[in-house]
Amino acid sequence: MSVFVAVVEAGSLAAAARKLGCSPATVTRAIAHLETGAGERLLARTTRRFVITETGARHLATYRAMLEQMADLEQRSRDVEVSGGVVVTAPELFGRLKVLPVVESFLAAHPGTQIRLLLLNRVVDLVGEGVDVAVRLADLPDSSMTAIRVGEVGKLTCAAPAYLARNAPPQSPSDLADHWCIGLNEAGSKELWRYREPTAARRARSVQLTCRLAVNGVGAAIESAERGMGIVRPLSYQVERQIAEGRLVALLPDYAPPPIPVHLVFRPRMRDSSAVRAFIDHAVPLLRQATSGPG
């Protein structure tokens, strides 16, 4: 209907296509579809111009009225005040760096809402713990939950310039055995760092390391690496600022393993809640933007 109105107002199919940002063929198909439904010609076309038929004129008035009603309904839907509470969970550091700004902008846009943000480094039972939306960094198993993929994060191998000034940068994963490495394994100093070969086949490659320092908190491990204590392997978003500011340098980029997907997970019926639905609609594009950078 909007295509037909645009054609009449623009004076030609080609001008309407330019106005709508689509191809002339798309405009032609839309008019043909309307004429098939009407059972009559709406436009009498010649090689150079068209003339609206009597039937077309009646349809034009009806289409304009219907489009105005639809626009008014959509505007009223947007103007409805969103209210209610939303419980959101995310991993601690990802939540602080990426999710909290999204939550703050949502609250600014919807004064009638409240959000409880749980930053937890464990998988939360949405039903058992009363959570509406979860941000998960993982390949997800099949479940009854609904998931929307919003991006991905990578594993980065990095070290401080001061460390690299004392030690030649590793050229392949096997070189890591000769370096000081900082582990993130709470169970001990043994770690398995996975990579991919920089070949067309991209075969997996793993390196077993004995880390001189093992820390059970990624923030502390990154700080130690910044002080030149060794090579660390956090997730990409955890060291974005350090790499941008030159405090850490990314190593072995050609051997990077497959990225880890980021999902919004929620129960299917949770979209019946206006506040939850509004939060999901708000969060998806912002998180996609926040996880679209390198790594």
Side-chain angles (χ1 to χ4, degrees):
M1 291 188 292
S2 60
V3 169
F4 182 78
V5 172
V7 168
V8 174
E9 293 177 347
S12 75
L13 275 68
R18 288 193 296 271
K19 178 181 178 181
L20 296 170
C22 61
S23 68
T26 299
V27 173
T28 300
R29 285 194 297 271
I31 300 301
H33 180 75
L34 288 175
E35 290 179 333
T36 299
E40 296 184 52
R41 286 280 188 183
L42 303 180
L43 299 175
R45 292 182 285 278
T46 67
T47 55
R48 293 182 176 272
R49 58 190 297 271
F50 69 83
V51 176
I52 188 168
T53 66
E54 183 179 344
T55 300
R58 291 197 303 271
H59 279 252
L60 176 64
T62 300
Y63 294 162
R64 280 175 167 159
M66 293 177 67
L67 290 169
E68 289 176 3
Q69 291 174 2
M70 290 169 63
D72 180 63
L73 181 62
E74 290 173 358
Q75 184 60 50
R76 279 186 286 166
S77 296
R78 287 192 293 268
D79 291 341
V80 172
E81 180 72 22
V82 176
S83 62
V86 185
V87 181
V88 181
T89 185
E92 193 275 330
L93 191 54
F94 187 87
R96 182 159 57 85
L97 296 176
K98 302 294 186 180
V99 180
L100 186 55
V102 173
V103 167
E104 291 170 348
S105 65
F106 175 78
L107 291 173
H110 301 286
T113 60
Q114 311 86 41
I115 287 188
R116 182 181 175 214
L117 180 59
L118 305 175
L119 302 180
L120 301 168
N121 292 324
R122 60 177 175 83
V123 177
V124 174
D125 178 0
L126 273 63
V127 177
E129 300 184 52
V131 172
D132 301 316
V133 182
V135 180
R136 291 197 172 147
L137 281 60
D139 290 302
L140 300 179
D142 291 335
S143 74
S144 60
M145 300 296 171
T146 299
I148 300 175
R149 182 166 176 151
V150 295
E152 57 188 29
V153 296
K155 277 273 191 180
L156 288 187
T157 305
C158 49
Y163 177 85
L164 297 174
R166 303 191 309 268
N167 303 275
Q171 300 303 306
S172 74
S174 58
D175 294 341
L176 292 170
D178 299 324
H179 282 267
W180 291 5
C181 293
I182 302 171
L184 294 168
N185 184 0
E186 296 185 15
S189 60
K190 299 288 186 181
E191 289 209 353
L192 191 67
W193 289 9
R194 292 182 172 86
Y195 294 91
R196 282 191 302 182
E197 292 286 352
T199 60
R202 301 294 278 161
R203 293 189 181 88
R205 179 175 181 179
S206 299
V207 180
Q208 180 78 49
L209 298 173
T210 300
C211 298
R212 291 197 71 220
L213 173 63
V215 188
N216 69 341
V218 65
I222 292 169
E223 291 171 3
S224 183
E226 288 184 72
R227 290 191 288 268
M229 286 300 298
I231 297 175
V232 71
R233 197 159 181 264
L235 293 170
S236 53
Y237 72 88
Q238 297 169 337
V239 289
E240 281 178 344
R241 182 183 302 175
Q242 291 87 340
I243 288 178
E245 295 175 355
R247 289 182 280 148
L248 289 175
V249 177
L251 306 170
L252 303 173
D254 294 339
Y255 292 86
I260 300 167
V262 181
H263 293 90
L264 277 187
V265 180
F266 51 94
R267 285 170 279 163
R269 291 191 61 82
M270 288 313 301
R271 277 203 168 181
D272 294 341
S273 162
S274 64
V276 173
R277 182 173 63 252
F279 177 77
I280 293 169
D281 292 343
H282 182 88
V284 167
L286 293 181
L287 287 175
R288 282 179 174 155
Q289 182 180 4
T291 55
S292 63

